[in-house]
Amino acid sequence: MPQSGTSPGDGARVDACTDVHYVDTGMYDTPGYGAVYVVDAERPAVLDTGIGTHHERVLDALDEVGIARDDLGAIVVSHVHLDHAGGAGFLADACPNADVYVHEIGAPHLVDPADLVAGTKRAVGDQWRYYVDPEPVPESRIVELADGDRIDLGDRTLTAHHAPGHAPHQVVLEDDRDGFVHTADAAGIWVPALSEVHETSPPPNFELETCLDDVATIRERAPDVLLYPHFGPVADDVDGVLDEYATTLREWVARVREKRAELDDDEAVERYFAERTSLDEVWPAHKAEEEVAMNVRGVLVALDRRVA
């Protein structure tokens, strides 16, 4: 079985960038799935926060890099899905001088996460067992982002670009120093053990054409490096990876549509794809199957929206 190359809690430097590190948070008890990035800038930053369940691994990563918790200046949330934002309140509490940056649509859900928790439970089903209830972020700590807003880290600047296909509150972050783009979920899920990019299409907001627009938004930045929250940096053939994801999305939606027409039973469609995923080569079978089933549900919801 291929291995992810990391274990939960492992940290690494992004070789293609200056003073950028990442830690495997062990999300869903799965190595090589959830990464949080630490930018050791004049004004240090954390990019995304993980699911919250193992937020102490992010704090340990700050310690390893040599960033005092009082010195962390920015906690940047790419979008408020809990696998990216679930740790925001915990990290904000531990790092009292950090501003919490999030797209303006998502900001209310960090202040009061009740609706977000309810929506997450509906979307992820049995996977909720891996989560922890998020801590609210004080409203006074939040800085709302709109398209084109910049985050000043002193010796580098991150520019937020709205990328609403995966979620209406999603941004990707463009770096002006090393030319990286933090992709959020706009460029899919990178599986380093397979050197493949896989679809991410969870309910309720997935829209194929808008997701393809988001891939184009990333491409327009001409990135040298993609920083994937799921999982790890990609510095080789960036254009090829983006092309691959656009193709993957189109083919994925077409396959789900065709199988629904054939089976005429949505639960059977979920089972069909979950039982045939290749992701169980690198992730535990339970995670691979649950991930695929969730992504099938997202496509089915989007198809229903088009009919309505």
Side-chain angles (χ1 to χ4, degrees), residues 76-226:
V76 188
V77 174
S78 66
H79 59 300
V80 299
H81 288 169
L82 287 182
D83 54 331
H84 297 258
F90 297 103
L91 296 185
D93 183 61
C95 304
N97 297 316
D99 294 321
V100 180
Y101 294 83
V102 62
H103 189 268
E104 57 193 355
I105 294 174
H109 296 291
L110 293 188
V111 176
D112 180 1
D115 288 344
L116 182 60
V117 168
T120 302
K121 289 180 177 179
R122 289 193 297 271
V124 305
D126 289 343
Q127 293 187 78
W128 179 256
R129 65 188 182 275
Y130 300 110
Y131 287 75
V132 64
D133 285 332
E135 289 291 325
V137 177
E139 189 170 6
S140 62
R141 301 280 298 278
I142 287 181
V143 179
E144 295 186 6
L145 295 170
D147 186 57
D149 282 352
R150 297 182 176 184
I151 301 171
D152 183 4
L153 301 183
D155 54 350
R156 69 198 313 152
T157 299
L158 303 178
T159 302
H161 300 280
H162 195 206
H166 177 82
H169 39 75
Q170 178 177 255
V171 296
V172 298
L173 300 168
E174 176 189 9
D175 169 66
D176 71 341
R177 181 170 179 177
D178 295 313
F180 72 69
V181 168
H182 182 274
T183 63
D185 281 341
I189 291 179
W190 177 251
V191 184
L194 302 177
S195 294
E196 293 176 352
V197 64
H198 285 248
E199 66 282 339
T200 176
S201 56
N205 300 122
F206 170 75
E207 285 288 354
L208 173 61
E209 294 304 323
T210 314
C211 283
L212 294 173
D213 290 342
D214 294 346
V215 176
T217 294
I218 295 174
R219 190 189 306 282
E220 289 165 5
R221 314 278 73 81
D224 296 314
V225 186
L226 302 175

Side-chain angles (χ1 to χ4, degrees), residues 8-11 23-27 29 36 38 46 48-65 67 69 86-95 130-132:
D10 283 355
V23 59
D24 184 333
T25 64
M27 191 179 296
D29 291 344
V36 168
V38 176
V46 166
D48 275 350
T49 70
I51 207 166
T53 309
H54 301 299
H55 65 275
E56 69 278 356
R57 289 174 177 157
V58 181
L59 297 174
D60 290 344
L62 292 177
D63 295 340
E64 290 176 12
V65 173
I67 298 171
R69 296 176 190 183
F90 297 103
L91 296 185
D93 183 61
C95 304
Y130 300 110
Y131 287 75
V132 64

Side-chain angles (χ1 to χ4, degrees), residues 231-248:
F231 172 87
V234 173
D236 296 329
D237 192 20
V238 167
D239 283 340
V241 171
L242 294 174
D243 287 342
E244 180 185 350
Y245 187 53
T247 299
T248 294

Side-chain angles (χ1 to χ4, degrees), residues 201-209 249-262 264-266 269-270 273 294-308:
S201 56
N205 300 122
F206 170 75
E207 285 288 354
L208 173 61
E209 294 304 323
L249 275 180
R250 292 188 183 98
E251 293 179 349
W252 170 241
V253 172
R255 289 167 59 208
V256 173
R257 182 190 294 114
E258 291 168 4
K259 190 55 64 174
R260 180 190 235 183
E262 175 189 334
D264 195 28
D265 180 333
D266 286 356
V269 176
E270 286 185 33
F273 286 101
M294 179 183 68
N295 287 328
V296 171
R297 289 195 296 274
V299 175
L300 295 174
V301 168
L303 294 175
D304 287 340
R305 226 173 6 244
R306 289 199 169 195
V307 172

